[in-house]
Amino acid sequence: MLLLSLVVMLLQLGRGCCGLPFYNGFYYDHVMNDKGNGNGEVHFNGVKLVVETPEDAIFTYRGANITLPCRYHYEPKLETPRKIRIKWSKLREDNTKERDVLVAIGLKHRSFGEFRGRVHLCQQGEQEASLVISDLRLQDYGKYRCEVIDGLEDESGIVELELRGVVFPYQPHHGRYRLNFHEAKKACEEQDAVIASFEQLFKSWEEGLDWCNAGWLLDGTVQYPISLPREPCGGKRLAPGIRSYGERHKNLHYFDVFCFSSALKGKVYYLAHPEKLTLEEAKQACQDDGAEIAKVGQLYAAWKFFSLDRCDAGWLADGSIRYPIAFPRPNCGPPEPGVRSFGFPDKGKFGVYCYKLN
């Protein structure tokens, strides 16, 4: 008797499943008696939820406010509004678990982590689920998922956010190839930057970056960009491009690092001072001027975005001596624009670059 009951139940389930129309999207329960006629009938309609996000990346700068577009609609169109939930998350570079950004139901929403207080939904139009991020940070670049949830079903789309910025190679004062991955990441953060992604390094190579020291990237690989092939940098016979050492052990292997910085909220300037200074004197001089000694990432950003050009070597916060050249000229280094470096002198007196918030 029990076996017969199971067979009858499976046949009924099979008949019900086969009766559904087919869509590549999903199905949801549509209650036809919204006003409540008491019959309790639930009808399965073949309605597809579609989420639309832009195919091209969105470009902006650090400190800006940006909207990540996301809209949704039903096919065929529904006359009665549905109660849906919207979820935004950020995809990690290494494809591990996504980070929650915001969850919203109706007018109520909750933001998470470093996005708390900086994000909200833009729902100016019907069926809009766009995300607004305020005061963009360097870590905000990447891919975001817009997910629209209707009951037990959901659809999503991806929005890519890119920051316009500058990639620069970095090594600490104790010399070449002294950083494991975790130390490299911290070194960039100490210079008002973040460890660069492969995409950012590749874009900088397209713009002419040429550097023969291998450095860590965000995905755990070690690579370096070559625009002018030469023997010490992979050989003359190799075409220009990104040379790769592949993935390396994040704790046991040591290299330099490529950092990424973007626009500034303040300004970098060479401090006019009657005398040359030691590093400690330089730090104090900036403080006396209502500023702080500039970091390497800030100097690169000022050179990149504000064409900072000064043929005077000066101290930076990490103890290095550098100067920015936007318009190359005799007696100011190589013929290409860039940030020149004198390394990390153990002693001596120089000028100083300061950074002051606007």
Side-chain angles (χ1 to χ4, degrees), residues 180-181 216 220 222 247-255:
N180 66 26
F181 176 82
W216 289 104
V222 174
E247 290 189 29
R248 295 290 168 161
H249 197 288
K250 292 184 177 181
N251 295 320
L252 302 180
H253 291 159
Y254 292 80
F255 296 92

Side-chain angles (χ1 to χ4, degrees), residues 34-51:
D34 292 329
K35 296 182 180 180
N37 59 12
N39 59 17
E41 292 181 354
V42 177
H43 298 263
F44 289 85
N45 284 358
V47 178
K48 183 167 65 173
L49 173 62
V50 178
V51 173

